[in-house]
Amino acid sequence: MELQIDIGDEALVGRSTPDPLRYAFSKKRAAHAGGRSAMVAADKVQSSLTNALNGAASGRPRCLYVHIPFCRVRCSYCNFFQYASSKALMARYFDALMSELRWKAAMPWTQAAPFQAVYIGGGTPTDLSAEQLTQLGKTLRELFPLTPDCEITLEGRVNRFGADKFEAALEGGFNRFSFGVQSFNTQVRRSAKRLDDREVVLERLQSYRAYQAAPIVVDLLYGLPHQDEQVWLQDLQDYLDVGVDGVDLYQLIEMQGLPMQTLVEQGKLPEPADTATKAGMFAMGVEFMARHFQRRLSCNHWASGNRERSIYNSLAKTSAEILPFGAGGGGNVAGLQMMQSRDIDCYIEAVEQQQFAVPMLSRASHDAALFGAIKAGFDRGVLSQRALDQQAGYRLFEQLSPLFSAWQGNGLVSLSEGYLSLTTAGQFWNVTLSQNLIGLLQAQPAATLQQAG
Ligand SMILES: C[S@@+](CC[C@H](N)C(=O)[O-])C[C@H]1O[C@@H](n2cnc3c(N)ncnc32)[C@H](O)[C@@H]1O
Ligand code: SF4
């Protein structure tokens, strides 16, 4: 049976326009598509997770994720903010985190195979004290089986992250640092409520780099208020000049209810860039990186040399298993998808009783691995026929050719010898394309996909 594909549907195939980069779709979607998953009944959450962590390893790659939900000040554009950093609250949280690490590390599933990557994300993990950073790193290395080349990333920002803390983190065994810079421009930074001016950020990054101890990567945003194309070009140039190991270029995603929205409505901030302008800024970034021979690791990520590997980010986008820790940490183990409670009190109470702080648990559907492979392919900028068919278990790539041809006609992809590669326009719209493809598969009657085999 054939897949039902409506190639007349503009929301699916994009507009036919001379400028697909800017106008193929109306707006980038914010959410990431998941698979069809089934909720686990509330009274089965604890026993299901206990069984999973008493079980054997699956053989899939595995990572640890530790969430630190504190920031000193909330940036006006950010939707990740949870709690203001306070010494007392952070100390209480850190104790609970240590208990959770010890408890889960002792479980058979955890000890059954080595982890390839560890990510301490947030929030702002660099707001932890020097002692906490060393202790966290050492605890992870002592308690968990890690591969010899395990990537252990500390995320955060340069604010109040001086030599003492950087050295404490190195002593703890962190071997990769990811700093949110967003923009180097002081006016852009101040209006977004970033805490240090341009000179401080540049000086800090240079100082970490001078240790030559671990890869340093930075996040840049494009489309912030006051960040016009000239400022953006200077941001890209600053990344290159400061000589760090890699960069992520993210478009600003506006979400309802952010402080930035209120400031714009009150006339205190100029409008952030619209989608067409951001598309142009993305293309500037792509051209800039190519001109300066930066090595591309995904649609949004580049490395300046061989030091940056980005293991966690690439594994997390495939079917890797991720064991989560902390309030707001998410992951998946043995086909169970979980998000831990974002509320610190609920989290601490659960950990004290050796309960999983997981209010909702779902079981991934059998399509989850296929959808994971699709998302990973689009994130990288290329979908391989062989890999897709292997994952699906039938000739899915060929069945999708009406959609792929329509995308090609609209300037979003190019098809050649078993590969669907994204054009610059397709790279800008990669999340939309991947969501459209996954949505299309989800909308097929189940019998169609089975018979397609
Ligand atoms: C969870 S934050 C942690 C980084 C660190 N706390 C900092 O502020 O530098 C990770 C990244 O998410 C990105 N981010 C935050 N808000 C965003 C938004 N509204 N749109 C797109 N990216 C955003 C930023 O680039 C940020 O560096
Ligand atoms: S960008 Fe970073 S520091 Fe700013 S609010 Fe978000 S997580 Fe916190």
Side-chain angles (χ1 to χ4, degrees):
M1 201 187 274
E2 293 209 343
L3 297 187
Q4 292 161 21
I5 303 175
D6 177 6
I7 56 161
D9 177 5
E10 244 182 36
L12 175 68
V13 302
R15 280 183 204 115
S16 169
T17 151
D19 191 354
L21 170 69
R22 291 174 179 79
Y23 303 114
F25 298 95
S26 309
K27 206 170 195 181
K28 183 183 166 181
R29 297 194 196 167
H32 286 257
R36 268 183 286 223
S37 54
M39 295 308 294
V40 174
D43 62 344
K44 295 278 189 303
V45 168
Q46 297 297 323
S47 58
S48 303
L49 284 169
T50 304
N51 288 342
L53 289 175
N54 277 319
S58 67
R60 278 153 56 189
R62 34 165 63 193
C63 306
L64 300 172
Y65 177 80
V66 181
H67 195 69
I68 307 291
F70 302 99
C71 303
R72 189 158 285 123
V73 172
R74 179 179 188 169
C75 309
S76 61
Y77 54 81
C78 183
N79 201 29
F80 295 96
F81 180 84
Q82 284 172 263
Y83 288 92
S85 308
S86 105
K87 255 193 182 152
L89 188 59
M90 286 172 80
R92 207 157 70 83
Y93 181 78
F94 193 77
D95 285 347
L97 187 60
M98 288 295 130
S99 305
E100 192 192 10
L101 288 171
R102 281 192 293 272
W103 173 49
K104 288 186 179 167
M107 293 179 154
W109 179 90
T110 312
Q111 293 298 329
F115 294 87
Q116 294 182 30
V118 180
Y119 197 92
I120 316 298
T124 307
T126 48
D127 278 355
L128 291 171
S129 69
E131 296 71 30
Q132 287 168 331
L133 287 170
T134 308
Q135 192 185 337
L136 177 57
K138 286 191 169 166
T139 303
L140 286 161
R141 283 188 176 272
E142 269 162 29
L143 297 183
F144 292 87
L146 306 180
T147 57
D149 67 343
C150 184
E151 176 190 272
I152 310 180
T153 302
L154 182 69
E155 183 180 59
R157 51 179 165 180
V158 304
N159 178 254
R160 299 202 203 173
F161 192 69
D164 54 338
K165 280 205 193 180
F166 187 65
E167 286 170 18
L170 290 173
E171 194 194 327
F174 288 97
N175 58 19
R176 180 174 180 269
F177 294 83
S178 172
F179 295 101
V181 167
Q182 326 309 353
S183 171
F184 290 95
N185 181 280
T186 295
Q187 185 188 22
V188 174
R189 296 181 60 77
R190 287 187 181 173
S191 76
K193 293 216 165 25
R194 296 295 289 179
L195 290 173
D196 294 297
D197 288 353
R198 171 191 168 79
E199 292 67 31
V200 177
V201 179
L202 289 170
E203 183 268 314
R204 281 274 156 83
L205 290 175
Q206 269 151 3
S207 74
Y208 311 141
R209 219 198 106 216
Y211 282 81
Q212 293 292 334
I216 311 289
V217 301
V218 298
D219 290 345
L220 293 180
L221 282 179
Y222 53 93
L224 286 163
H226 294 300
Q227 189 189 30
D228 60 21
E229 289 186 356
Q230 208 180 333
V231 171
W232 176 231
L233 199 56
Q234 186 61 46
D235 280 332
L236 296 168
Q237 189 64 47
D238 286 341
Y239 149 71
L240 200 66
D241 292 346
V242 82
V244 290
D245 299 278
V247 64
D248 272 288
L249 306 184
Y250 294 127
Q251 70 163 304
L252 175 70
I253 298 177
E254 290 165 70
M255 277 164 280
Q256 297 290 321
L258 290 182
M260 195 176 81
Q261 195 189 16
T262 317
L263 292 168
V264 170
E265 279 164 12
Q266 291 170 342
K268 293 181 181 159
L269 271 187
E271 291 276 347
D274 61 15
T275 300
T277 309
K278 284 189 284 193
M281 294 168 101
F282 172 74
M284 279 170 68
V286 171
E287 280 155 26
F288 182 92
M289 296 299 160
R291 201 162 58 244
H292 294 284
F293 299 94
Q294 301 296 289
R295 185 165 55 94
R296 197 161 190 185
L297 301 180
S298 75
C299 284
N300 302 321
H301 189 56
W302 286 263
S304 60
N306 289 333
R307 201 151 198 183
E308 161 63 337
R309 298 180 297 159
S310 199
I311 305 280
Y312 181 87
N313 289 331
S314 28
L315 286 181
K317 281 167 193 152
T318 62
S319 58
E321 290 178 286
I322 297 177
L323 182 61
F325 298 86
N332 74 91
V333 170
L336 294 169
Q337 295 169 334
M338 69 204 95
M339 178 59 80
Q340 307 219 112
S341 172
R342 284 170 66 88
D343 183 283
I344 285 194
D345 290 322
C346 293
Y347 164 75
I348 293 179
E349 203 183 304
V351 170
E352 280 171 352
Q353 296 169 14
Q354 295 218 331
Q355 297 260 311
F356 296 95
V358 175
M360 281 194 299
L361 184 69
S362 58
R363 199 171 288 284
S365 70
H366 68 281
D367 320 310
L370 173 63
F371 295 164
I374 291 174
K375 277 193 266 183
F378 279 89
D379 182 71
R380 239 189 94 207
V382 59
L383 201 62
S384 129
Q385 177 162 18
R386 188 170 21 84
L388 187 74
D389 289 356
Q390 228 163 42
Q391 192 60 254
Y394 57 91
R395 293 159 72 93
L396 177 58
F397 196 92
E398 205 174 279
Q399 298 239 3
L400 287 167
S401 60
L403 175 65
F404 292 167
S405 301
W407 278 347
Q408 183 165 250
N410 286 338
L412 295 164
V413 304
S414 126
L415 280 162
S416 165
E417 296 179 24
Y419 289 96
L420 173 98
S421 56
L422 306 189
T423 60
T424 302
Q427 290 157 12
F428 179 70
W429 294 107
N430 79 80
V431 176
T432 306
L433 296 181
S434 123
Q435 287 186 349
N436 285 1
L437 175 48
I438 290 170
L440 176 86
L441 294 175
Q442 283 175 328
Q444 302 297 317
T448 313
L449 292 186
Q450 279 152 21
Q451 286 173 28

